[in-house]
Amino acid sequence: MTTERMLVVGAHSADFVWRAAGAIARHTAAGGEARVVALTYGERGESGELWKQPDQTVENVKRIRHSEATTAAGELGAGFECFDLGDYPLEVDRDARDRLASLLREFAPQVVLTHPERDPFNPDHPVAHAAVARARLLSTGGVVAAAFRTVPPSRWYAFEPHQPELCGFVPTTYVDITSVYEAKVRAMAAMAAQSYLRDYYAQRAEQRGNHARKVTADASIRQAEAFQQLLPRVVDAL
Ligand SMILES: [Zn+2]
């Protein structure tokens, strides 16, 4: 069991589902609390199916995306909120950065997940990474006394991008998601606006499951998610 808090920050409202749904579900199944923040709904650049409909509007797409993401997060036992900053391009201004830093201070997560630093295929994912990096430091300060309220540094991971090699993503950590995989499938099914990604990320979960078995020789692992630690972890012994 755990009482830890996990914060997952995505540029768009569905990013958490493909890349971290299993890790979120495992966290909450163990008793932890999880919150998902989407900086945008991905209403313009990541809602492909919805834009095939005639007379579609940005406001309607946002409404549907809010509903889909809330349902998906609910399947994982997590809360969902969206800053609604506008996507393609995502711009994180001072107010938005301060809002994220305030959330980090108030929620004080022990674990933070977000995009990797690089993504040559997406204009918004690196912006989200930079925003989280900065807000995280603003919430922790330099781990010395400061003029503002601070919280302890969190463990910080990147979740897996669409084309990991081209984003410089090297897994350091696999989460065995076998026991919660059905919840991930339900969460992916809730994201109807990007149904084309479901098969892709189901395959990825199987592949990462294979890789996790290779590392551990644990034949019970069927599906896994990959993460990259962004800072060293400190342990008592190796
Ligand atoms: Zn995205």
Side-chain angles (χ1 to χ4, degrees):
M1 293 298 288
T2 179
T3 56
E4 289 196 340
R5 294 172 296 279
M6 171 186 279
L7 178 68
V8 185
V9 183
H12 310 110
S13 57
D15 290 329
F16 74 98
V17 171
W18 319 116
R19 309 186 165 112
I24 296 167
R26 290 253 9 211
H27 182 79
T28 60
E33 187 179 353
R35 280 170 74 168
V36 174
V37 168
L39 298 179
T40 81
Y41 286 109
E43 64 273 12
R44 284 157 44 88
E46 295 196 1
S47 300
E49 296 297 326
L50 297 174
W51 287 109
K52 291 178 183 170
Q53 297 165 18
D55 303 324
Q56 188 59 273
T57 66
V58 165
E59 284 312 310
N60 191 50
V61 169
K62 283 186 189 177
R63 189 179 53 72
I64 293 169
R65 295 277 284 179
H66 185 86
S67 168
E68 288 180 356
T70 303
T71 301
E75 294 286 1
L76 311 174
F80 171 81
E81 65 190 283
C82 183
F83 282 18
D84 194 11
L85 301 176
D87 73 325
Y88 278 74
L90 164 64
E91 307 277 2
V92 179
D93 62 12
R94 185 181 184 118
D95 284 351
R97 195 183 64 228
D98 287 349
R99 183 177 170 188
L100 191 54
S102 296
L103 190 151
L104 280 156
R105 286 193 194 99
E106 170 244 317
F107 187 49
Q110 286 86 0
V111 187
V112 173
L113 309 178
T114 192
H115 300 271
E117 188 173 12
R118 276 200 287 136
D119 188 339
F121 296 99
N122 194 290
D124 294 347
H125 294 169
V127 177
H129 172 94
V132 174
R134 210 153 175 217
R136 186 178 166 281
L137 289 176
L138 289 169
S139 71
T140 58
V143 199
V144 293
F148 47 88
R149 191 178 146 223
T150 59
V151 291
S154 47
R155 305 195 294 278
W156 192 29
Y157 294 91
F159 47 58
E160 181 161 9
H162 200 72
Q163 296 198 43
E165 304 88 338
L166 301 176
C167 299
F169 177 90
V170 178
T172 60
T173 307
Y174 294 120
V175 177
D176 173 5
I177 64 168
T178 309
S179 63
V180 295
Y181 188 60
E182 290 310 312
K184 176 161 186 166
V185 169
R186 289 195 300 276
M188 291 197 293
M191 307 312 295
Q194 288 173 284
S195 54
Y196 50 91
L197 289 175
R198 281 184 216 152
D199 290 347
Y200 186 91
Y201 280 96
Q203 288 173 6
R204 183 60 52 88
E206 299 287 338
Q207 289 166 349
R208 292 307 190 189
N210 176 296
H211 301 163
R213 286 196 297 279
K214 291 269 185 226
V215 174
T216 58
D218 179 350
S220 72
I221 301 174
R222 305 317 306 170
Q223 293 89 16
E225 285 173 345
F227 297 88
Q228 182 170 4
Q229 238 175 262
L230 297 174
L231 289 173
R233 289 187 68 174
V234 178
V235 296
D236 294 332
L238 292 177

